[in-house]
Amino acid sequence: GVTLVTSTHMNKIIAINEENQTCTVGPGMYGPAFEEALNQAPEMFGCQRRYTCGHFPQSFEYSTVGGWVVTLGSGQNSTYYGDAYDLVVAQEYVTPAGNFATLEYPATATGPKLNDIMKGSEGTFGILVEVTWKLYRYLPENNQYFGLMYPSWEAAVAASREIMQGEFGRPAIYRISDPEETDRGLKLYGVPGFAD
């Protein structure tokens, strides 16, 4: 077997394309460093806007961009942004048969798409050495956090279906918790009336 530690060398943003709103990045860049650099894009890269990667898996602090791609990671904000599969625009690989890169176009109308085949391949076909990732504008002032309580599981499912199928925009995060999970969360965060 082969062990690669891409976080020591392939751990930087290579380029930001503001016209396409994409970023080319090394696969070894950790999530927090990637997000911070995108949030600080005007200062660090001379960009006109601040950006977010839109991908926040449970393992965000300990995982890399390349890890998200090769394992088809899904994040907390995937309701709005999509998962890693949706955010990868292009990839570059080193393989035993040679190197190749997929096209950096935001969309193509041809198929089959090699880019899609490589997503989630977990190193089976080659070593990921570069990723072009879709970016979103970083607008924290537009965030609003709230929770809803429903009288039953069935009511929560029905409301969720309406929210997801309604054509008025999706929330970044949407999650239903059953009564047991809700109680654990309320106790964990010290909500009055939910002490052990």
Side-chain angles (χ1 to χ4, degrees), residues 166-177:
E167 296 185 14
F168 44 78
R170 290 185 173 188
I173 301 172
Y174 192 86
R175 179 176 177 168
I176 303 174
S177 298

Side-chain angles (χ1 to χ4, degrees), residues 84-103:
Y85 184 91
D86 302 307
L87 296 167
V88 173
V89 176
Q91 305 165 77
E92 184 175 339
Y93 282 84
V94 173
T95 77
N99 304 351
F100 72 90
T102 61
L103 301 174

Side-chain angles (χ1 to χ4, degrees), residues 10-22:
M10 292 187 259
N11 59 3
K12 295 177 178 47
I13 289 178
I14 299 162
I16 293 178
N17 182 327
E18 289 198 271
E19 186 174 13
N20 287 348
Q21 209 161 290
T22 61

Side-chain angles (χ1 to χ4, degrees), residues 48-137:
Q48 297 298 310
R49 301 183 184 278
R50 298 180 188 283
Y51 296 100
T52 179
C53 70
H55 190 68
F56 302 97
Q58 230 29 56
S59 62
F60 181 72
E61 296 175 41
Y62 310 105
S63 58
T64 62
V65 176
W68 302 342
V69 175
V70 301
T71 62
L72 284 185
S74 187
Q76 295 294 325
N77 291 354
S78 61
T79 304
Y80 177 77
Y81 295 105
D83 59 23
Y85 184 91
D86 302 307
L87 296 167
V88 173
V89 176
Q91 305 165 77
E92 184 175 339
Y93 282 84
V94 173
T95 77
N99 304 351
F100 72 90
T102 61
L103 301 174
E104 292 186 22
Y105 304 140
T108 62
T110 60
K113 295 176 176 61
L114 182 58
N115 195 40
D116 291 345
I117 293 168
M118 297 306 290
K119 297 173 191 176
S121 63
E122 299 193 11
T124 304
F125 303 131
I127 307 300
L128 178 65
V129 295
E130 202 170 278
V131 178
T132 300
W133 188 267
K134 183 178 180 180
L135 299 180
Y136 290 85
R137 294 177 184 177

Side-chain angles (χ1 to χ4, degrees), residues 126-194:
I127 307 300
L128 178 65
V129 295
E130 202 170 278
V131 178
T132 300
W133 188 267
K134 183 178 180 180
L135 299 180
Y136 290 85
R137 294 177 184 177
Y138 180 60
L139 302 166
E141 65 275 9
N142 288 352
N143 289 344
Q144 182 177 1
Y145 300 94
F146 58 89
L148 304 169
M149 297 292 283
Y150 296 101
S152 67
W153 179 260
E154 292 74 21
V157 170
S160 300
R161 183 177 299 110
E162 185 62 30
I163 289 168
M164 293 301 153
Q165 292 177 352
E167 296 185 14
F168 44 78
R170 290 185 173 188
I173 301 172
Y174 192 86
R175 179 176 177 168
I176 303 174
S177 298
D178 62 22
E180 292 79 16
E181 183 180 20
T182 301
D183 284 346
R184 281 194 307 273
L186 294 172
K187 288 176 187 175
L188 178 67
Y189 292 107
V191 174
F194 287 92

